[in-house]
Amino acid sequence: MKILRKLKRNVLWHIINLTGLSIAFITALLVITFVNKELSYDNFHSKSDRIYRITTESFSSAGSMHPARVAGELSQNLTELLPEVESLLRILPFKRALIEINQNRFYSNHAFSCDSTFFDFFDFKLISGTPDALDQPYKVFISKSLAEKYFGSTDVVGKIIKVKHQQVPDALEYTVAGIMQDFPENSHFHAEILCSFTEYDNKTSWAYSYMMLGKDVNAEALEKKINDLISEDRPAGANKMLVHLQNIRDIHLHSHKEREMEANGDIKSIYLMLGGLIVILLIALTNYINLSRVQFIANIKISHIKRINGAGRFNLIMDNMAESLILSFCSVLLGLFLSVKLSGLFGLNPDFALWAVLSIAFILLIILSGIIPLLFLWPKMNELSALKGKLSYSFPLFFQFLLAIIAISISLNMSLQMSDLYNKHPKAKESGLLVLPANQWNAVQRFGLLKTELLKSPYVKNVSAAMEEPGGDILDGINIELEGLSDQDFAINLFTTDTNFFQFMDIQPIAGELYTGTTPSAEWEQKAIQLGNLEAMGHEDTEMYKTLKDDFVEHTDHFILNESAVKMLGFKNPEEAIGKRIITHHHMKYIFPSGIVVAVVPDFHYTNLHNEEEPLLTMYRKTFNYCFLIECKKEMVGPVISDLEKLWKEINPEFPLEYELISDSYQKIYLPEMSQLRVMTVLSLISIILAALGIVAMTIFNLQRRIKEIGIRKVNGAKTIEIVRMLNTETLRWVLISGIVAIPVAITIVNKWLENFAYKISIPWWTFALAILFCLIVSACIVNLISIRIANRNPVESLRYE
């Protein structure tokens, strides 16, 4: 009952404390639950400590490239050479496969073919079927959710599904050999269709490759051994290549390579969230400790009476502990209730075992924080009695706003960086531009007809196509040399587009003119591809090859270089490159013949900006442009989509239509950074709320201790505005000091985050000024509202207050 009376007497303090501690506890539960999930990726595999993904990093004159897949049969050859490797697993994506089940057709980015060792490596569960089915051709395992959605049950063994690779004209027919349990969320990839690899051996040039190392094998030593073997066999003058072994448990948070199986998380996000959580906990605990301190001082007379009557430090500590226990218990109950409600919004599953541990730890932390003031203030009770209303709360105020200003300024700079990136991408803000990404081979061959029909619409401004979608990685390469300099070979990235691509994207040449004359026909391109394939397979003596060769007409190409390519080739300025002949070296030499440079364009940032723009050679082609681009009048997007759907059904009836706005295409490549920005924004808001709660409590307490002083000033003629100005001075002074100290800390953190990007903003001074100004406004509003109410009281009442 005594505790309840005490709680009732100080109800305002306890409401403020309960609110602040509950917010901090909810934040702790959600952040630690998320972090725990992120750190658990691929830990559920029993052999996870021995499973390593092999990747290669190559260096050339065009820059470096580090894809998540391995080119060629490297992994297979290494497995045969290295006794440390027990087995190999290769997983080949179908690249946005078209799936046909009964009468249903849909796209899937989660369809793969693989070696029969798949279930030896990974502990994914089978509901039906046996793993050895992957040894047989044309067998497939499908996920439980896929079976239930398209077959209506999981009793589907023996059923037929068709899988069509994006870049081949015909579908493959598979027999269902079993059902897989849906892959756990904390897996670095999620297959819903898993086909046998036997019939696809001729397509293993780019496969995600995993090695099972023997027990007690040192991965770092093995990686060095592999690189030594490769360097010995590598011909002199060849581009440098490094092999990397990455444990699967590190893929999700530590891998951001080109062509990842899925978008990964980022360890920087974990550090950011944990740092933000620490800030919030520090602010909340500072509030609580400070309020406990001022309560102790406010009740100093009661403490003296208890001391005179024989109460010792232990008795006071126990009273305070009981109060802290009730408060912390209520905070935990409220926090648990709200966290259960909020966890679904953030895609989190409550981990009640983890939450129980965190609850106990939080309660103990609050109890300890409540005792700390007593331990330091007990010896100074006589001095505290003489304070007579003079109580400084400068350090807690300084500390809270220091953390809040740092958080706000970091959020502002992160937002500016992301906005700057979007502005650098061509057409990023165009709300009337539709992107049809990763279209099927057959649809690509019909693009000319689709374009002709779309341009008949008065609402369509332009239509174009390119090899990659906006924001996609341009990884295809070609070796070239300048005519007359045959001793110097350059590797350069290759990009194919429709003839109007640069006009479509509003990219103007800085030298030369964009070629718009006659380009090779689709029939010419098909002959060129066939000739190249027959020659690569050694079929030059066949009648088909001879006929194609006789009918084939040589073509001189027209190349467009970007500024980086001009610098790489050694030209002093873009104009010098115009008209120069470039000789190409490619295994598909007929489809990519030699030609002349007709134009130079700026580095137009079509791909992501995590890395610097690389040398790029663009040529006009029809066969490889898998992404379609449609620009329409902004206010007529709806009617254009309606017309597009009708046209698509007529021209490509066998393929579903999927489209997105260009802004969405660019946003996909910055998902980790956007997540970090959202997290930082939320944490900044929480830190401001907690700091504001602290100001409310401390302002009320400080004013209550100065009521008599305020009454005397009013009797002597002081105006309300003068009293309010006096009461604001200390608070605003310490907010300014916090801001000055916060600036170098925030600059250091922002600069570290900006290292993720090749193109960075210059940190503007006004972001820090705005953060400080915001905190000044918040603190001034709180202090003024409370101060005006106190200052307007009758001076007689103020003088009678004690």
Side-chain angles (χ1 to χ4, degrees):
M1 294 300 293
K2 181 173 66 174
I3 293 296
L4 293 177
R5 287 197 301 272
K6 187 177 179 182
L7 291 173
K8 185 177 180 180
R9 186 172 63 248
N10 299 310
V11 64
L12 176 61
W13 312 118
H14 295 304
I15 289 175
I16 291 174
N17 267 330
L18 179 64
T19 303
L21 293 175
S22 297
I23 290 173
F25 184 60
I26 291 168
T27 306
L29 287 180
L30 296 178
V31 167
I32 293 177
T33 300
F34 176 79
V35 169
N36 186 58
K37 186 191 80 171
E38 291 291 286
L39 295 175
S40 71
Y41 267 69
D42 295 301
N43 281 332
F44 59 89
H45 299 298
S46 60
K47 302 174 184 175
S48 60
D49 61 322
R50 298 165 54 201
I51 303 173
Y52 284 79
R53 186 176 68 177
I54 180 171
T55 60
T56 56
E57 184 178 12
S58 57
F59 304 85
S60 69
S61 52
S64 63
M65 184 174 70
H66 194 175
R69 298 178 296 174
V70 176
E73 298 301 317
L74 175 67
S75 56
Q76 191 170 15
N77 295 335
L78 287 175
T79 303
E80 295 169 357
L81 288 172
L82 300 169
E84 296 92 335
V85 180
E86 288 187 0
S87 57
L88 170 71
L89 168 65
R90 294 167 299 170
I91 303 175
L92 181 70
F94 275 91
K95 287 198 73 173
R96 199 169 184 253
L98 177 68
I99 312 300
E100 184 176 345
I101 299 177
N102 297 328
Q103 300 303 313
N104 300 299
R105 289 192 182 95
F106 60 95
Y107 294 116
S108 174
N109 290 316
H110 304 285
F112 303 90
S113 60
C114 65
D115 285 313
S116 59
T117 53
F118 184 88
F119 291 106
D120 294 332
F121 274 69
F122 301 127
D123 294 346
F124 298 120
K125 297 178 181 178
L126 288 178
I127 297 174
S128 62
T130 57
D132 57 7
L134 288 174
D135 278 328
Q136 305 168 37
Y138 301 104
K139 297 293 183 183
V140 64
F141 288 91
I142 63 174
S143 67
K144 178 184 176 183
S145 58
L146 194 72
E148 290 176 339
K149 182 176 181 179
Y150 292 102
F151 287 107
S153 75
T154 57
D155 185 20
V156 296
V157 174
K159 301 286 187 180
I160 301 297
I161 73 170
K162 292 181 179 180
V163 183
K164 183 179 179 298
H165 191 284
Q166 179 203 8
Q167 296 179 352
V168 298
D170 301 314
L172 297 172
E173 195 172 276
Y174 291 88
T175 302
V176 177
I179 302 297
M180 304 180 292
Q181 190 66 260
D182 289 357
F183 286 17
E185 186 179 356
N186 58 342
S187 170
H188 74 277
F189 74 104
H190 299 81
E192 59 183 8
I193 295 172
L194 202 61
C195 305
S196 54
F197 204 39
T198 313
E199 77 290 349
Y200 232 61
D201 277 348
N202 63 332
K203 303 238 181 233
T204 60
S205 59
W206 285 99
Y208 300 101
S209 299
Y210 301 81
M211 289 178 170
M212 178 75 71
L213 303 189
K215 293 181 179 178
D216 302 323
V217 171
N218 185 298
E220 291 184 7
L222 180 61
E223 181 178 284
K224 183 178 183 305
K225 180 179 178 180
I226 292 171
N227 281 306
D228 289 342
L229 286 172
I230 290 176
S231 62
E232 289 173 6
D233 294 336
R234 205 149 180 82
N239 292 328
K240 182 182 177 182
M241 185 180 76
L242 289 176
V243 171
H244 297 274
L245 297 180
Q246 184 175 37
N247 187 266
I248 60 165
R249 294 171 299 184
D250 296 330
I251 291 175
H252 179 66
L253 291 177
H254 300 276
S255 187
H256 307 287
K257 301 173 177 61
E258 294 96 346
R259 298 283 196 262
E260 289 282 358
M261 296 180 89
E262 294 182 14
N264 290 325
D266 191 344
I267 192 65
K268 294 185 181 69
S269 296
I270 302 300
Y271 294 149
L272 195 68
M273 294 183 79
L274 290 176
L277 174 59
I278 291 171
V279 168
I280 287 169
L281 287 175
L282 285 174
I283 294 176
L285 290 175
T286 301
N287 275 345
Y288 180 66
I289 292 172
N290 204 40
L291 287 177
S292 297
R293 179 172 71 104
V294 298
Q295 283 183 69
F296 181 81
I297 296 172
N299 298 322
I300 197 70
K301 289 184 178 179
I302 298 174
S303 298
H304 266 299
I305 293 172
K306 288 182 179 181
R307 194 175 185 182
I308 293 169
N309 289 328
R313 184 187 302 191
F314 178 76
N315 300 102
L316 292 178
I317 288 176
M318 291 306 294
D319 286 347
N320 208 62
M321 185 181 292
E323 186 178 344
S324 298
L325 181 62
I326 293 173
L327 181 63
S328 60
F329 189 72
C330 291
S331 300
V332 165
L333 286 180
L334 181 60
L336 287 171
F337 173 76
L338 293 176
S339 294
V340 170
K341 301 293 184 183
L342 292 172
S343 57
L345 296 176
F346 296 99
L348 299 173
N349 295 318
D351 185 339
F352 294 109
L354 175 64
W355 286 13
V357 174
L358 293 175
S359 299
I360 295 170
F362 191 77
I363 290 172
L364 292 175
L365 182 63
I366 299 306
I367 292 173
L368 180 63
S369 301
I371 295 172
I372 287 175
L374 293 179
L375 298 176
F376 288 97
L377 296 176
W378 175 269
K380 302 179 180 180
M381 285 185 65
N382 293 328
E383 299 173 27
L384 293 172
S385 299
L387 282 173
K388 299 183 183 294
K390 296 179 181 180
L391 178 67
S392 172
Y393 58 99
S394 55
F395 178 74
L397 189 67
F398 162 79
F399 185 67
Q400 290 171 347
F401 274 100
L402 171 69
L403 299 176
I405 290 169
I406 290 173
I408 294 170
S409 54
I410 291 173
S411 297
L412 287 172
N413 281 286
M414 290 174 72
S415 179
L416 287 174
Q417 171 66 15
M418 297 312 299
S419 176
D420 184 67
L421 288 183
Y422 284 129
N423 291 337
K424 281 182 166 59
H425 289 300
K427 295 277 188 174
K429 293 184 177 180
E430 184 60 61
S431 59
L433 202 156
L434 299 175
V435 177
L436 282 63
N439 289 287
Q440 290 282 319
W441 174 272
N442 307 68
V444 172
Q445 312 316 310
R446 303 168 193 158
F447 170 72
L449 176 59
L450 179 69
K451 178 178 179 179
T452 301
E453 295 299 319
L454 281 171
L455 289 174
K456 293 178 180 178
S457 169
Y459 309 134
V460 175
K461 296 167 68 174
N462 207 349
V463 181
S464 191
M467 179 188 289
E468 293 287 347
E469 64 184 281
D473 293 319
I474 300 174
L475 298 179
D476 292 277
I478 189 170
N479 288 333
I480 63 172
E481 63 178 82
L482 288 173
E483 190 173 51
L485 296 174
S486 57
D487 59 329
Q488 191 169 9
D489 201 15
F490 298 92
I492 191 169
N493 292 326
L494 176 66
F495 188 49
T496 70
T497 68
D498 194 12
T499 52
N500 65 339
F501 173 80
F502 290 103
Q503 294 93 332
F504 183 95
M505 301 300 285
D506 290 338
I507 299 168
Q508 302 301 321
I510 55 179
E513 294 184 5
L514 298 170
Y515 181 77
T516 55
T518 304
T519 57
S521 65
E523 291 76 13
W524 181 91
E525 291 186 18
Q526 292 304 316
K527 286 182 180 179
I529 292 172
Q530 284 182 288
L531 267 175
N533 289 337
L534 290 170
E535 200 167 281
M537 292 184 290
H539 294 169
E540 293 95 332
D541 295 332
T542 62
E543 286 300 319
M544 181 183 293
Y545 177 84
K546 293 176 181 178
T547 302
L548 284 170
K549 186 73 172 175
D550 291 339
D551 293 342
F552 187 72
V553 178
E554 294 289 346
H555 167 71
T556 298
D557 226 316
H558 302 88
F559 299 137
I560 299 165
L561 303 178
N562 68 352
E563 285 182 284
S564 293
V566 169
K567 293 175 184 176
M568 180 191 73
L569 294 172
F571 294 114
K572 295 178 181 179
N573 54 67
E575 289 77 11
E576 190 178 336
I578 304 303
K580 294 295 189 294
R581 181 172 173 80
I582 288 180
I583 301 171
T584 59
H585 301 287
H586 195 277
H587 67 278
M588 299 175 69
K589 65 180 183 181
Y590 295 103
I591 189 71
F592 300 124
S594 301
I596 58 172
V597 178
V598 295
V600 176
V601 294
D603 293 338
F604 52 92
H605 306 314
Y606 188 73
T607 185
N608 74 76
L609 294 175
H610 290 104
N611 302 308
E612 290 186 4
E613 200 74 37
E614 295 184 343
L616 187 69
L617 181 148
T618 302
M619 61 177 64
Y620 300 138
R621 286 293 178 272
K622 300 177 174 63
T623 304
F624 309 106
N625 298 334
Y626 296 99
C627 175
F628 305 161
L629 303 164
I630 304 169
E631 185 177 14
C632 51
K633 295 179 180 178
K634 297 176 182 178
E635 66 277 6
M636 302 305 293
V637 174
V640 169
I641 290 175
S642 180
D643 292 343
L644 173 63
E645 289 172 342
K646 294 175 184 176
L647 272 174
W648 190 268
K649 287 180 181 178
E650 294 174 8
I651 298 172
N652 299 304
E654 71 272 41
F655 304 128
L657 172 66
E658 291 187 1
Y659 54 85
E660 60 191 16
L661 294 175
I662 193 170
S663 57
D664 296 330
S665 297
Y666 286 129
Q667 284 176 6
K668 288 188 298 187
I669 60 179
Y670 300 116
L671 286 178
E673 288 78 18
M674 292 304 297
S675 297
Q676 292 168 17
L677 175 58
R678 285 192 291 269
V679 166
M680 202 64 219
T681 302
V682 171
L683 294 178
S684 299
L685 290 174
I686 293 174
S687 66
I688 282 292
I689 292 170
L690 292 176
L693 287 172
I695 289 180
V696 169
M698 294 309 301
T699 301
I700 292 174
F701 175 81
N702 198 39
L703 290 176
Q704 285 178 345
R705 306 295 288 176
R706 301 178 69 176
I707 283 178
K708 188 172 288 187
E709 176 192 345
I710 293 170
I712 293 172
R713 288 179 181 272
K714 292 201 70 175
V715 168
N716 289 326
K719 297 179 181 179
T720 298
I721 191 169
E722 293 173 343
I723 294 173
V724 171
R725 188 186 303 119
M726 174 195 71
L727 296 173
N728 266 285
T729 302
E730 183 178 4
T731 302
L732 300 184
R733 182 175 68 245
W734 281 104
V735 172
L736 285 173
I737 294 172
S738 300
I740 293 170
V741 177
I743 289 173
V745 179
I747 288 175
T748 301
I749 296 172
V750 171
N751 278 327
K752 187 67 178 175
W753 184 77
L754 287 174
E755 290 177 3
N756 294 324
F757 304 95
Y759 301 89
K760 310 176 182 66
I761 60 168
S762 297
I763 301 176
W765 65 268
W766 59 262
T767 56
F768 305 105
L770 189 61
I772 296 170
L773 179 63
F774 180 74
C775 290
L776 283 171
I777 292 172
V778 170
S779 58
C781 289
I782 293 171
V783 175
N784 286 340
L785 287 173
I786 300 171
S787 300
I788 290 171
R789 182 181 175 188
I790 298 293
N792 283 330
R793 291 179 63 174
N794 190 321
V796 176
E797 293 181 18
S798 300
L799 292 172
R800 290 169 57 189
Y801 176 82
E802 185 60 48

